Amino acid sequence: MMSHACKAKQFLANESRVDWHNRTLWLVRQKRDRVAAAVPEWEHLREQAASIKKEALANLDVYLEQLETEATRNGVTVLWAKDAGEFNRIILHIIQKHGVKNIVKSKSMLTEECGLNPFLHDRGIEVVDTDLGERIIQFRKETPSHIVLPAIHLKKEEIGETFHEKLNTEKGASDPTYLTQAARRHLREKFLAADMALTGVNFAVAETGTVVVCTNEGNADMGVHAAPVQVHCMGIEKIVPKQDDLGIFTRLLARNATGQAVTTYTSHYRKPKPGGAMYIVIVDNGRSNYLGHPKYSDSLKCIRCGGCMNTCPVYRRSGGHSYGYVIPGPIGSILAPQKEAQKYRDLPFASSLCGSCSNVCPVKIAIHEQLYFWRQDLTQQKRTSFLKRFSMKVAGFLLSENTRYNLTGILVRWALRYLPHGLLYLPFNAWGRGRELPVPPRQSFKQWYEGRKKTKN
Amino acid sequence: MQSNDKKMKQHKIGLFVPCYIDMFYPRVGIATLELLEKLGQEVGYPPEQTCCGQPLANSGSEQEALATYRNFVRNFRDFDYIVTPSGSCAYHVRRHYDILEQTEDVKKIRETTYELCEFLTDILQVDDLKIRFPHRVGIHNSCHGLRGLKLASASERMEPRYSKLRRLLEKAEGIEIVELDRNDECCGFGGTFSIFEPDVSVKMGKDRLDDHERNGVEIITAADMSCLMHLEGIIRRQKKNIQVRHIAEILNGHSL
Ligand code: SF4
């Protein structure tokens, strides 16, 4: 797999596009700042949300069983999937059992993670993504570049072209309202024809057996209301213990995600409609490996608001696809190595460790600290490049003792002064690609200090 | 500059000059030393000091940094405070020396290592620096100082706004502190991030510089020379008309 740095370089090749991407996401961050500032107890809400999630994760077994009991009492069928394969087979089984022909799906990062669409596609079953952004990238056979704004990497002109091709909109038309209307008409037909609706889950309330789905387009509701079979897919970490807890999270989620006070629709699904069937599929897929983990368990608190992406100065300039994992950005960079450390070993290094993500995060995950811990672990597991590990070993040797350190300094300053420019700026000097090296001073601080001591004496 | 009228409490300070400042920017170490001495402090510079180990640890090689950590502890155990003109080094010692055995020395060092500005505002409570600096200055809030040491309120957090750097700079006569479009976005240095992700790193730096330029900044200042080294590298490559100064140089009364 191509490294994050390589893919970032490709994205950066078109600088004006990067500037646009950066500006667009920064606007979202600014909106978030404004609405968050309007809530006087914002920081307190974050504290509460973090501690509720922490407690829920500490007693997850109890809450999950409570959820199952309550949901079952409500007439819901609760199914458990150990991993992605089992999840996909469960969905296939439900499809076959009900003789489903047409499936609509609202946004669910879990189904992306499990590769549900391609799995069903291979078996001749098509799923229509009904979130506008997801539908766009589905048309274009791309993957989401953001968890809340999946098509944020695309400009409206590109979307116009895609719609012209797929929905027969006017050629060259890129007016967002016009395009949205076209998508609506198209999706309406899909909703009416659907006999099964799949959704993700934002929160599952253990106390009531309810699942809660937050959308801006109402597409989860359209699907669920029209189709006789509704299936809600959730990771085990989506639990909140009580109905009363929910308000804390809904206040944080939309504000932090898009700068709205609340999502347009916050739908609570409790029991099947008359004559219909309702399923909740609870998926582990590796999450429980990190439950109670001394360093990484907090990552399970994530409510997928996407705030850490919007604020991340690297994400905004490298684009979501540079991460190569379904969840990009800071949170993706700590979740991906949990899944496959070898494959995603460069992601924890794709950060300047500025810490903005941790400050933005509504459930106070110390993302930048986990990135730091992953760097240590990946290095110790010898997954990072030999060259990097070797050069750090050498640097460790040189920096740990005064004489060696001083000699290094003298050598470096000598090289900077006397080596020809062409040699100093050979291509392997990554620093020199866009930057000049420092101008070497005549003497180091240490040498100056020695001199001063002598004259003083 | 003169020191405060009221006599300041004297502390025994160990000056830590980070490796890259020692090697490339001795003037910043000198400014820090002179400033602390002018403020009546007893400043020692342990000559066997090298580096805090951060470059290794942030690259994932914490284990290789242990010997360097120990060298730091050996050199700095006999002071009331350790002061350094680097937010990120101070943060590293405080936060990441937790992997050393927590002896009395280590514990004390982690509690008493201060970045220069916070030492001036929190410990010395400097209120009256007699300096003149009639320039348009942009403050670069280096991340570890900002979010790690909380040298200023971070824009992500909904809390009262403050800035220790600003509070100190405002004491300079004639200074004009320029508001930026993005008050605390990372410059993209990030230690070895600048080498392993050079393209993103340079782009972040360019964007930061654009913000300062757009708002008419003459001089960018920061509590971390590493960010300024990165920004200066881009300034020189692109022949931009803007300069960088470590905050110690301004506070020590250097004019341009
Ligand atoms: S890690 Fe925090 S900020 Fe990022 S998506 Fe999850 S909840 Fe949101």
Side-chain angles (χ1 to χ4, degrees), chain A residues 35-73:
Chain A
V35 296
V39 179
E41 67 274 33
W42 181 259
E43 295 300 330
H44 179 62
L45 280 180
R46 290 175 71 222
E47 291 284 347
Q48 280 185 298
S51 73
I52 292 169
K53 274 281 175 186
K54 214 176 180 77
E55 194 272 333
L57 290 169
N59 300 296
L60 197 59
D61 51 341
V62 179
Y63 290 126
L64 282 169
E65 283 183 358
Q66 190 185 7
L67 176 77
E68 181 181 38
T69 311
E70 293 308 320
T72 309
R73 205 201 309 276

Side-chain angles (χ1 to χ4, degrees), chain A residues 147-148 253 256-257 298-299 301-309 311 327-332 334-335 356-365 367:
Chain A
I147 60 175
V148 172
L253 177 66
N256 218 53
D298 256 16
S299 61
K301 293 193 301 193
C302 175
I303 59 170
R304 303 287 191 269
C305 71
C308 56
M309 285 152 220
T311 202
I327 299 176
I331 181 67
I334 60 173
L335 291 177
S356 181
C357 48
S358 308
N359 269 354
V360 156
C361 179
V363 285
K364 301 192 86 162
I365 304 171
I367 306 173

Side-chain angles (χ1 to χ4, degrees), chain A residues 91-156:
Chain A
I91 301 294
L92 180 65
H93 176 77
I94 299 173
I95 291 170
Q96 289 166 341
K97 182 173 163 209
H98 291 276
V100 167
K101 294 277 171 309
N102 299 305
I103 304 170
V104 287
K105 171 159 79 70
S106 67
K107 192 135 88 275
S108 151
M109 289 313 294
L110 178 67
T111 59
E112 290 283 339
E113 173 188 322
C114 295
L116 179 69
N117 283 13
F119 171 87
L120 292 177
H121 175 84
D122 290 347
R123 284 152 188 83
I125 303 161
E126 291 309 323
V127 176
V128 175
D129 280 322
T130 58
D131 173 87
L132 180 56
E134 293 232 305
R135 188 64 180 148
I136 294 164
I137 57 167
Q138 194 177 35
F139 278 145
R140 296 171 62 97
K141 300 193 170 36
E142 289 177 359
T143 53
S145 65
H146 188 290
I147 60 175
V148 172
L149 312 159
I152 193 69
H153 58 289
L154 295 171
K155 294 194 163 184
K156 58 182 196 291

Side-chain angles (χ1 to χ4, degrees), chain B residues 16 18-19 50-55 57 65 68-69 72 88-90 92-93 97:
Chain B
F16 171 54
C19 54
T50 58
C51 164
C52 70
Q54 180 182 199
T68 306
Y69 290 4
F72 187 97
S88 79
C89 298
H92 194 75
V93 171
Y97 277 29

Side-chain angles (χ1 to χ4, degrees), chain A residues 4 19 316 399 405 446, chain B residues 22 49-50 185 197 203:
Chain A
H4 177 272
D19 290 338
R316 277 187 266 110
L399 290 175
Y405 164 87
K446 223 172 241 194
Chain B
D22 173 46
Q49 63 176 279
T50 58
E185 178 147 280
E197 291 261 1
K203 176 63 179 153

